[in-house]
């Protein structure tokens, strides 16, 4: 069965304490892997798309990497405003482009 | 530039009623997808439309339907509402995978 699993479910960090979030996936034929950030009461906000193993993308304090079966979202020196739920999703060749399979997310809290 | 617009933002309906939700994608985006988000199941794919054609449908009962108009605006309809249909319904549009799918703020549906 095609699925996406994120860990941990929740993560509490002190401001400045770097860490990584994990997303593992089992799909046949990865079209693309996406990272999103979601704040309470809002829709997910697009962060990155990764296509192939070895690919990396960065944006401010965030860096996303992709291997054959998992992706990591590294957060360097996080700030309280980075607190949100981070979602991973995949688009795969067995489905249409817009059929994304989402993980349950990692709820990140950054304390000052 | 205008984002994805969903109306209404909040809706309260009674069991057995039907409801129609609206989504206006970003100008130029022809792909529109709908998702249901609940605390227990996370984000689940409902359906995807491209140029007025349904490209894919998720594992939801036939009470859930949708359509897309020639201007790419989309609607989804849920008939014979059940308590379990209470959720945040999200619409997303895309130009290409490189830019990910841009989500609206969603419609919060409560069925009483």
């Amino acid at each position: 069965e095609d699925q996406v699993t994120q860990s941990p479910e929740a993560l509490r960090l002190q401001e400045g304490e770097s860490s990584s979030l994990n997303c593992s996936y089992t799909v046949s034929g990865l079209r693309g892997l996406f990272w999103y950030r979601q704040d309470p009461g809002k829709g997910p906000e697009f962060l990155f798309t990764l296509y192939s193993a070895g690919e990396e993308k960065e944006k401010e304090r965030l860096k996303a990497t992709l291997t054959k079966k998992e992706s990591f979202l590294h957060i360097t020196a996080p700030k309280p405003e980075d607190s949100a739920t981070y979602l991973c999703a995949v688009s795969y060749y067995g489905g249409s482009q817009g059929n994304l399979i989402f993980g349950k997310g990692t709820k990140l809290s950054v304390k000052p | 530039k205008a984002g994805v617009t969903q109306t209404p933002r909040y809706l309260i309906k009674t069991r057995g009623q039907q409801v129609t939700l609206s989504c206006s994608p970003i100008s130029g985006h022809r792909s529109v997808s709908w998702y249901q988000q609940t605390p227990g199941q996370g984000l689940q794919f409902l359906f995807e439309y491209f140029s007025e054609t349904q490209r894919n449908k998720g594992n939801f009962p036939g009470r859930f339907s949708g359509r897309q108009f020639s201007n790419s605006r989309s609607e989804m309809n849920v008939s014979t509402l059940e308590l379990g249909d209470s959720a945040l319904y999200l619409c997303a549009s895309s130009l290409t995978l490189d830019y990910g799918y841009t989500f609206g703020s969603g419609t919060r549906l409560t069925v009483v």
Side-chain angles (χ1 to χ4, degrees):
Chain A
E1 180 187 344
D2 299 318
Q3 62 180 11
V4 177
T5 304
Q6 291 188 247
S7 62
E9 288 185 16
L11 182 62
R12 289 186 174 189
L13 299 173
Q14 287 297 126
E15 185 172 1
E17 179 187 2
S18 301
S19 188
S20 294
L21 314 182
N22 177 265
C23 169
S24 63
Y25 59 93
T26 53
V27 296
S28 47
L30 179 71
R31 193 198 305 261
L33 184 141
F34 306 85
W35 282 98
Y36 285 87
R37 167 195 171 124
Q38 187 174 26
D39 294 297
K42 296 187 176 181
E45 175 189 345
F46 171 72
L47 294 172
F48 305 109
T49 306
L50 301 167
Y51 293 101
S52 56
E55 191 173 358
E56 299 181 350
K57 287 194 177 171
E58 288 188 67
K59 180 180 179 179
E60 296 179 359
R61 295 178 292 282
L62 300 177
K63 179 180 176 180
T65 61
L66 181 64
T67 70
K68 289 209 168 179
K69 288 299 176 190
E70 55 189 351
S71 177
F72 295 93
L73 184 65
H74 308 277
I75 303 177
T76 302
K79 298 182 177 181
E81 53 262 43
D82 294 322
S83 297
T85 296
Y86 289 85
L87 297 165
C88 170
V90 300
S91 176
Y92 62 110
Y93 284 105
S96 59
Q97 178 176 300
N99 177 0
L100 304 184
I101 302 176
F102 277 85
K104 296 284 179 70
T106 294
K107 186 173 182 179
L108 174 66
S109 299
V110 182
K111 301 298 182 186
Chain B
K1 96 184 169 184
V4 177
T5 304
Q6 291 189 246
T7 56
R9 284 298 313 277
Y10 303 93
L11 210 47
I12 299 175
K13 290 286 187 178
T14 304
R15 270 184 302 174
Q17 288 186 312
Q18 76 164 20
V19 67
T20 299
L21 311 181
S22 179
C23 170
S24 293
I26 292 173
S27 178
H29 289 193
R30 293 192 292 167
S31 173
V32 174
S33 295
W34 287 88
Y35 292 84
Q36 181 195 66
Q37 186 173 30
T38 59
Q41 299 298 318
L43 275 124
Q44 293 185 288
F45 172 74
L46 280 158
F47 23 67
E48 179 195 9
Y49 287 89
F50 184 85
S51 293
E52 301 179 67
T53 301
Q54 186 180 90
R55 284 211 289 206
N56 207 345
K57 182 172 165 55
N59 189 24
F60 280 83
R63 300 184 296 107
F64 291 81
S65 63
R67 59 178 175 169
Q68 186 179 33
F69 302 95
S70 58
N71 61 358
S72 293
R73 191 177 70 86
S74 179
E75 289 182 347
M76 67 163 282
N77 183 276
V78 188
S79 62
T80 319
L81 284 166
E82 300 177 359
L83 295 178
D85 296 333
S86 295
L88 180 66
Y89 290 88
L90 291 159
C91 167
S93 72
S94 173
L95 188 60
T96 70
L97 281 185
D98 279 344
Y99 297 95
Y101 274 79
T102 302
F103 282 82
S105 295
T107 294
R108 171 74 63 184
L109 172 64
T110 302
V111 182
V112 297

